[in-house]
Amino acid sequence: MTLQGEYVPSKAQWVRDQVEKFEATDGREANTLPGTDYPIVVITSRGAKSGNLRKNPVMRVERDGIY
């Protein structure tokens, strides 16, 4: 299911920059948490009240073979 709504970029500049670069390069760049080697994924969520779409980089963490 594709989320519908207006995309509202993060108020944090580093999040906006990372999401933009990650998406522009299909994840080849900006694919780690800044200043670390921790891989990230970008999740898209929709605000319960506003209905606006948000995109956030989150760490992809493996523990005992499970992400």
Side-chain angles (χ1 to χ4, degrees), residues 7-60:
Y7 171 57
V8 178
S10 173
K11 292 180 182 180
Q13 184 67 48
W14 75 269
V15 172
R16 290 193 308 269
D17 294 344
Q18 183 165 25
V19 168
E20 182 180 324
K21 191 167 196 173
F22 183 91
E23 290 185 334
T25 63
D26 292 323
R28 289 184 304 277
E29 296 179 33
N31 54 16
T32 59
L33 199 61
T36 74
D37 290 330
Y38 300 129
I40 61 112
V41 294
V42 173
I43 61 165
T44 303
S45 59
R46 184 178 48 189
K49 292 181 182 179
S50 70
N52 292 333
L53 300 181
R54 304 283 184 177
K55 296 181 182 182
N56 291 289
V58 295
M59 286 191 321
R60 190 180 117 209

